[in-house]
Amino acid sequence: MTFLDHLEELRWHMIRSFASIFILAVVAFLSKDIVFHQIILGPSRTDFWTYQTLCKIGTWLNSDVLCIDSLPFEIQSRQMTGQFTMHITSSLVVGLILAFPYAFWEFWRFISPALYTKERNASRGAVFFVSILFIAGVLFGYYIVSPLSINFLTNYTLDPSIKNQIDITSYISTLSMLVLSCAIMFQMPVVVYFLSQAGLVTPERMIYFRRHAFIVILVLSAILTPPDVMSQLLIALPLTILYQISIYVSRMVLKRKLKSEEIQKYQ
């Protein structure tokens, strides 16, 4: 294929990817009651699944400390076009999240023919694992990080006379940032896998820089989350676990490469 043929092929992959995002965004836009009342505004109410589960755990432990009885804030729209604009923006975000597995599959369909057979075999299942980790990150950000962050931030007061009247733009932006940040950060094992395949990362190097990585994880958590310690720790903890898993992934890749080299040596 010529360079222009490659561009034409890429163009159609991008068209199909953006079309899937647009279609699902339209579906989300038309499903306003479900998307907003049930999903987006869910963490702003005390009947949310996370708060109810924490209360059940507290009851099991004979303690009411974990029960969240109130979230002292109101969500407002202070701009004339605020609600309509956020309706469109949030629908696009929901469409992106729902269409991500298909969009990544389209991207992978364009990339994979350029790989050698050995590279294609080594990257088999990439779409599946990327999609699973992305969904896991979204669920973790939505059900764990977001509600606990919202609870902390709305209950944090400088003075009882100050009322929390939060703009809808601020609320949705914070929620989207937390969810998408977790989704992206959960891709760490996949990134390490491909870097290990390229020889840029080794398990020994990752173990040597583990302390440095922990500091970087804390800094990233502080940047990506609201300014509260609880949210930072909630992102830092799974990232630390994922880093440890990535070490095992890199070690597995190294063993596989050494085994392949031994087989080729004796052939």
Side-chain angles (χ1 to χ4, degrees):
M1 296 178 65
T2 64
F3 178 72
L4 292 178
D5 291 333
H6 281 295
L7 286 180
E8 179 67 15
E9 187 71 17
L10 176 61
R11 186 173 74 91
W12 280 106
H13 284 294
M14 293 180 65
I15 288 175
R16 286 191 290 267
S17 298
F18 285 119
S20 65
I21 296 173
F22 177 76
I23 292 172
L24 290 174
V26 171
V27 173
F29 186 87
L30 298 176
S31 306
K32 180 176 63 174
D33 293 338
I34 297 175
V35 171
F36 271 88
H37 184 75
Q38 299 289 340
I39 299 176
I40 295 178
L41 296 178
S44 67
R45 298 190 301 271
T46 56
D47 60 350
F48 188 61
W49 179 85
T50 303
Y51 304 137
Q52 295 297 315
T53 302
L54 287 175
C55 192
K56 290 179 181 178
I57 294 174
T59 303
W60 182 68
L61 295 174
N62 293 323
S63 174
D64 58 352
V65 176
L66 297 178
C67 289
I68 299 173
D69 299 324
S70 64
L71 294 171
F73 74 104
E74 296 178 353
I75 299 178
Q76 297 183 348
S77 179
R78 296 187 176 88
Q79 297 178 358
M80 182 70 70
T81 60
Q83 295 195 49
F84 180 71
T85 302
M86 290 314 301
H87 190 186
I88 296 176
T89 305
S90 57
S91 297
L92 289 173
V93 173
V94 172
L96 173 64
I97 292 175
L98 295 178
F100 177 83
Y102 176 79
F104 182 79
W105 178 68
E106 285 288 349
F107 172 77
W108 188 252
R109 285 179 60 197
F110 175 75
I111 295 296
S112 58
L115 302 177
Y116 292 107
T117 303
K118 180 180 178 181
E119 295 172 337
R120 195 178 296 115
N121 292 333
S123 58
R124 187 174 299 167
V127 176
F128 173 78
F129 288 109
V130 168
S131 300
I132 288 296
L133 289 172
F134 182 84
I135 294 171
V138 168
L139 294 177
F140 181 82
Y142 179 71
Y143 283 105
I144 304 298
V145 178
S146 295
L148 296 183
S149 299
I150 291 172
N151 175 60
F152 174 85
L153 293 174
T154 55
N155 280 282
Y156 185 86
T157 57
L158 295 174
D159 187 84
S161 63
I162 301 175
K163 304 296 181 181
N164 287 326
Q165 297 177 341
I166 301 173
D167 189 76
I168 183 66
T169 303
S170 175
Y171 174 83
I172 294 181
S173 298
T174 302
L175 181 65
S176 301
M177 179 188 65
L178 292 173
V179 172
L180 292 177
S181 297
C182 290
I184 294 172
M185 289 300 176
F186 268 56
Q187 301 299 320
M188 185 189 300
V190 175
V191 174
V192 169
Y193 177 83
F194 284 105
L195 292 178
S196 300
Q197 286 285 354
L200 300 176
V201 171
T202 62
E204 292 78 13
R205 192 176 301 173
M206 292 189 68
I207 292 173
Y208 178 80
F209 288 105
R210 182 157 44 191
R211 295 179 180 177
H212 305 81
F214 182 67
I215 300 299
V216 173
I217 288 173
L218 289 177
V219 173
L220 284 175
S221 302
I223 294 173
L224 296 174
T225 59
D228 66 284
V229 178
M230 181 63 69
S231 300
Q232 295 171 14
L233 293 178
L234 284 173
I235 286 188
L237 180 60
L239 286 181
T240 304
I241 296 173
L242 287 172
Y243 186 87
Q244 187 63 38
I245 293 174
S246 299
I247 294 176
Y248 292 111
V249 170
S250 181
R251 187 173 295 162
M252 178 190 67
V253 171
L254 181 61
K255 289 181 179 179
R256 187 179 298 175
K257 291 175 68 175
L258 293 174
K259 184 177 180 180
S260 177
E261 291 175 358
E262 290 179 358
I263 293 174
Q264 292 179 359
K265 182 179 180 181
Y266 289 104
Q267 285 180 349

